[in-house]
Amino acid sequence: DAGVIQSPRHEVTEMGQEVTLRCKPISGHDYLFWYRQTMMRGLELLIYFNNNVPIDDSGMPEDRFSAKMPNASFSTLKIQPSEPRDSAVYFCASSLDTQPQHFGDGTRLSIL
Amino acid sequence: AQKITQTQPGMFVQEKEAVTLDCTYDTSDPSYGLFWYKQPSSGEMIFLIYQGSYDQQNATEGRYSLNFQKARKSANLVISASQLGDSAMYFCAMRDEDNFNKFYFGSGTKLNVKP
């Protein structure tokens, strides 16, 4: 079975540009999570969805960040405008009900 | 308040020995799940083991076992017969099933296995 698929794997862009990260969860999973990982702050939950509906976005840093899940097989995390402090590894994870989360390989984002 | 606490930022263990990674959690809900993940230097997050709050027995998965002490709110990971490939970051996590299945991760423990 295919795991959680994230794209791109790496993204380097200049500050001020819009960045869109993409995630395809495991088929049949009803929860989708977006995380950010940095050395300073560790692994932070940004937002998560249940059946495509955002449940908790309290971890989203500010209005520059937005996430959508238009259907059960696709989600995006958008940063507009991007800033150097947004540089991090962004993980998407999915799960079925209360089962363990399965993580994608992450997107390594560098904002210059 | 911290939901998940991992007090060991880094640990060393000799190859072939057992090691215990500590994790304590904080919740007043009766229904929750506890998880351990491994993150090698390559960066991926790998699920290792799960313990449900109502499970009577400690979870085991191969060389991994979870020492679940509910009254003490601890869920320590025990790795037996350490291997060099076990060198990685290890994260403890809790799923709060009464809070819309929200997930909380600890700060992690960096394990180094010495040959």
Side-chain angles (χ1 to χ4, degrees), chain A residues 18 26 30 57 62 86:
Chain A
E18 178 179 292
I26 293 173
D30 56 351
D57 65 354
E62 48 198 276
D86 302 330

Side-chain angles (χ1 to χ4, degrees), chain B residues 15-28:
Chain B
E15 192 179 9
K16 299 180 185 176
E17 292 184 352
V19 62
T20 298
L21 306 184
D22 294 342
C23 172
T24 57
Y25 59 93
D26 178 28
T27 183
S28 57

Side-chain angles (χ1 to χ4, degrees), chain B residues 8-96:
Chain B
Q8 307 152 312
M11 287 194 69
F12 286 91
V13 65
Q14 200 69 39
E15 192 179 9
K16 299 180 185 176
E17 292 184 352
V19 62
T20 298
L21 306 184
D22 294 342
C23 172
T24 57
Y25 59 93
D26 178 28
T27 183
S28 57
D29 296 320
S31 183
Y32 52 90
L34 298 159
F35 306 81
W36 278 91
Y37 286 83
K38 173 184 178 182
Q39 187 176 39
S41 58
S42 49
E44 69 269 31
M45 293 284 283
I46 302 166
F47 164 70
L48 295 178
I49 194 167
Y50 163 79
Q51 180 84 43
S53 58
Y54 293 115
D55 293 343
Q56 296 295 315
Q57 293 192 331
N58 287 344
T60 60
E61 287 286 348
R63 294 186 299 110
Y64 304 110
S65 60
L66 202 152
N67 184 1
F68 181 44
Q69 298 186 45
K70 197 170 184 176
R72 298 180 61 184
K73 293 188 177 179
S74 75
N76 299 339
L77 177 70
V78 180
I79 305 174
S80 62
S82 298
Q83 302 173 356
L84 296 178
D86 294 335
S87 294
M89 280 288 285
Y90 288 82
F91 292 94
C92 180
M94 179 178 71
R95 185 166 207 153
D96 190 346

Side-chain angles (χ1 to χ4, degrees), chain A residues 31 33 35 37 43 48 55-56 58 91 95 97-101 103, chain B residues 35 37 39 43-45 47 50 91 95 97 99-103 105:
Chain A
Y31 281 87
F33 302 79
Y35 292 89
Q37 187 176 34
L43 195 62
Y48 71 105
I55 301 300
D56 188 333
S58 60
F91 285 103
S95 70
D97 195 28
T98 60
Q99 298 300 307
Q101 293 183 2
F103 281 74
Chain B
F35 306 81
Y37 286 83
Q39 187 176 39
E44 69 269 31
M45 293 284 283
F47 164 70
Y50 163 79
F91 292 94
R95 185 166 207 153
E97 294 172 15
N99 186 21
F100 303 103
N101 286 320
K102 189 165 184 176
F103 241 82
F105 275 84

Side-chain angles (χ1 to χ4, degrees), chain A residues 12-32:
Chain A
V12 180
T13 191
E14 293 186 346
M15 67 176 293
Q17 297 296 309
E18 178 179 292
V19 173
T20 300
L21 310 181
R22 297 173 176 80
C23 176
K24 177 179 169 55
I26 293 173
S27 177
H29 281 192
D30 56 351
Y31 281 87
L32 184 139

